[in-house]
Amino acid sequence: MSSQRVPYLTAKLQGFGTTIFAEMSALAISTGSVNLGQGFPDTDGPREVLDAAKSAIDGGLNQYPPGPGIPVLRQAIAHHQRRFWGLDYDPDSEVLVTAGCTEAIAACMIALCDTGDEVVVLEPTYDSYQATIAMAGAVPKFVTLRPPLYELDLDALRRAITPKTRLMLINTPHNPTGKVLTRAELEGIARLANEHDLVVVADEVYEHLVFDGLEHVSIATLPGMRERTLVLSSGGKTFNTTGWKIGWICGPAALVTAARTAKQFLTYVSGGPFQAGIAVGLGLPDAYYEELASDLQTKRDRICAGLTEAGFEVYRPSGTYFVTVDIRPLRPDGDGMAFCRQLPELCGVVGIPNVVFYDNKAEGRHLVRFAFCKRHEVIDDAVARLKGLGR
Ligand code: GLN
């Protein structure tokens, strides 16, 4: 959030400015820096997935796909939910394809929140959460996760719930921290959701990017939760296709219908041929998913070691493709925003200042996020440049 007033923009969207990802990617291009800011992989995803989208174009899948998504993708999503998490969804009434998870989040907030409703979110908060809560006229209530382990404080969560709370918007594995919520933490959230009759919107886009043998738990699998949870995910992170913007929502028919009502007036539909590609990806064998996670785990280890050697305090992530560091050992004033703006000039690297993900700025001021979904040589190059900082 920036404090600069944007002319014409409504009061409720003042402060959102330009997303940090656009700002930092533009800075990376203009300075020729190594971009460890915006999270996108620098290698292509599986050949079969890319080929399936190309064949779909050649096969004439170029007009509006059906509103809820092409049937073969909805079936593949339902099958994926059963195969990996043991969740059963009817592909016709309980699965909705969206323009990436970002649209899914927006549709859920706009469809489910009335003006003044409160939404409980985990802080740091992925930037679109706050913006879409604002678009819905709702009010965010933050529960802060703190390093080094980013444990969820269930008492703080309980205190954040009021009679105005409409829903909880959670994210696991969590961007930007890389925290994977434990089963016990999710059980705590589920208990409160059941007790207060709340809907949970669970952003699980990093569901397959979990390390060290930890388990990803979908909150919809916990007692009483399937009926009150919308599970959101997308193909971008799992198949290295972040530009395709194919996401989805799974949940009980009544909640999915509500989300669809909003979604149809946001993009109507999107990405017909890409939907066909993602359907093929979701059917890839277990070995694909295992290799995806183990490859990223190797990269996680490589960047964590390098950042530690460069002098940062490193908070090793258990999931996602992001690592957060405390910059204060290298920059005692702890101004992460200034640091990220100067970093391209100082050493030719771009990162994301985590302060943008915080409402309570003091909590995130000194934290910076680096993306490690990059080739080994790119990680090594960035680390070598960062090591120059301390000299
Ligand atoms: N999810 C990506 C990240 O956190 C960015 C997506 C975007 O640019 N909106 O880096």
Side-chain angles (χ1 to χ4, degrees):
M1 296 264 262
S2 89
S3 50
Q4 231 169 3
R5 197 183 165 280
V6 178
Y8 300 107
L9 188 65
T10 58
K12 65 183 179 228
L13 289 184
Q14 286 296 336
F16 286 101
T18 304
T19 87
I20 194 70
F21 305 112
E23 178 186 340
M24 290 298 163
S25 280
L27 193 59
I29 291 167
S30 67
T31 58
S33 295
V34 182
N35 189 357
L36 302 189
Q38 191 175 31
F40 60 88
D42 63 355
T43 49
D44 271 333
R47 193 71 256 161
E48 305 90 303
V49 172
L50 306 179
D51 285 345
K54 284 199 267 184
S55 326
I57 292 176
D58 290 339
L61 199 66
N62 300 308
Q63 308 311 323
Y64 300 123
I70 62 173
V72 69
L73 176 57
R74 280 185 278 119
Q75 282 151 15
I77 293 164
H79 183 258
H80 166 276
Q81 292 304 94
R82 188 175 325 114
R83 170 180 165 199
F84 286 98
W85 319 124
L87 285 163
D88 277 306
Y89 293 106
D90 169 26
D92 291 329
S93 60
E94 298 186 316
V95 177
L96 171 66
V97 176
T98 56
C101 190
T102 301
E103 189 200 33
I105 293 161
C108 290
M109 295 309 115
I110 292 167
L112 302 176
C113 295
D114 268 317
T115 306
D117 284 349
E118 291 176 0
V119 177
V120 174
V121 286
L122 307 178
E123 178 185 64
T125 307
Y126 180 60
D127 71 340
S128 89
Y129 293 7
Q130 284 200 58
T132 53
I133 290 167
M135 286 178 204
V139 180
K141 292 283 162 180
F142 300 93
V143 178
T144 306
L145 306 172
R146 295 189 176 88
L149 297 178
Y150 293 108
E151 287 134 326
L152 175 62
D153 177 347
L154 285 170
D155 289 325
L157 182 62
R158 181 180 293 280
R159 286 195 302 274
I161 297 171
T162 77
K164 286 191 184 162
T165 307
R166 178 76 185 94
L167 60 86
M168 294 197 263
L169 170 54
I170 65 168
N171 174 215
T172 184
H174 182 263
N175 179 9
T177 64
K179 158 85 177 175
V180 176
L181 288 173
T182 64
R183 183 174 286 276
E185 287 168 330
L186 289 160
E187 283 168 353
I189 299 173
R191 246 191 325 274
L192 288 168
N194 281 312
E195 204 175 295
H196 296 271
D197 193 20
L198 301 176
V199 169
V200 171
V201 175
D203 171 356
E204 301 183 2
V205 291
Y206 299 97
E207 60 194 329
H208 292 292
L209 312 187
V210 174
F211 314 131
D212 310 321
L214 292 179
E215 58 167 355
H216 164 73
V217 179
S218 179
I219 196 165
T221 60
L222 300 180
M225 291 309 291
R226 187 196 180 282
E227 288 318 297
R228 58 176 69 255
T229 302
L230 286 169
V231 177
L232 277 42
S233 191
S234 79
K237 277 77 182 171
T238 305
F239 306 111
N240 290 15
T241 50
T242 60
W244 287 13
K245 301 299 294 175
I246 301 299
W248 51 85
I249 300 177
C250 296
L255 278 172
V256 169
T257 300
R260 192 176 62 226
T261 307
K263 181 263 178 305
Q264 65 190 340
F265 299 115
L266 292 172
T267 54
Y268 181 48
V269 291
S270 62
F274 298 130
Q275 293 191 20
I278 297 300
V280 167
L282 290 169
L284 289 174
D286 289 355
Y288 170 74
Y289 292 87
E290 284 155 16
E291 206 185 306
L292 174 74
S294 71
D295 174 57
L296 275 169
Q297 182 170 323
T298 310
K299 290 173 173 167
R300 187 259 331 242
D301 292 344
R302 198 176 189 105
I303 198 166
C304 285
L307 292 170
T308 305
E309 281 168 31
F312 295 105
E313 167 140 26
V314 177
Y315 300 121
R316 195 181 177 78
S318 301
T320 76
Y321 41 50
F322 305 114
V323 56
T324 289
V325 301
D326 184 335
I327 62 168
R328 285 175 296 189
L330 287 177
R331 182 166 171 134
D333 78 354
D335 187 341
M337 181 61 95
F339 179 76
C340 286
R341 289 196 166 129
Q342 289 160 7
L343 206 52
E345 211 175 294
L346 291 174
C347 72
V349 175
V350 161
I352 298 288
N354 288 27
V355 69
V356 300
F357 304 124
Y358 286 82
D359 181 60
N360 186 355
K361 299 296 179 196
E363 296 274 359
R365 189 171 176 272
H366 49 283
L367 302 175
V368 167
R369 188 194 84 173
F370 294 108
F372 56 83
C373 44
K374 307 291 173 184
R375 285 166 290 134
H376 287 266
E377 59 269 31
V378 174
I379 293 174
D380 290 349
D381 182 15
V383 164
R385 291 168 185 235
L386 288 164
K387 280 185 186 165
L389 278 178
R391 294 201 187 105

